[in-house]
Amino acid sequence: MILAPLPLTALEITTLEAACARGPHPRMRRRAQAVLGHHRGASISSLATLFGVQYNTLSQWLRNWRRHGLAGLAEAGRSGRPTKLPSAVKKK
């Protein structure tokens, strides 16, 4: 459990700010914002409420950041039926 604000280096802050602005997926951008918010002193509870997720979910985002860096915030594959749309239609 991570209670104290995450100490981040200047490079990590720059990396997270870039991910917030230009991350490849909206959920990754959200996770990066949460990590930065915790670094800046926001509690896990308040961030969970702000982002509309459970306390444990936000804690997991922070653990993933600590263990894997930016890769830990990336969007993973999702289960479910694959799309049937042809790739030409998806690009539109």
Side-chain angles (χ1 to χ4, degrees), residues 6-75:
L6 286 172
L8 298 176
T9 66
L11 180 59
E12 288 174 324
I13 293 169
T14 302
T15 300
L16 285 166
E17 287 173 344
C20 290
R22 297 177 300 280
H25 197 278
R27 286 188 283 263
M28 181 185 190
R29 292 192 291 270
R30 227 172 96 171
R31 293 175 193 132
Q33 289 170 347
V35 172
L36 277 173
H38 192 257
H39 165 71
R40 293 175 177 150
S43 70
I44 295 174
S45 296
S46 66
L47 288 168
T49 301
L50 178 69
F51 288 103
V53 298
Q54 296 293 318
Y55 182 95
N56 290 338
T57 301
L58 205 122
S59 293
Q60 185 64 47
W61 294 352
L62 297 173
R63 278 193 298 277
N64 287 345
W65 165 258
R66 269 288 150 234
R67 290 181 185 147
H68 308 289
L70 196 57
L73 304 180
E75 189 65 16

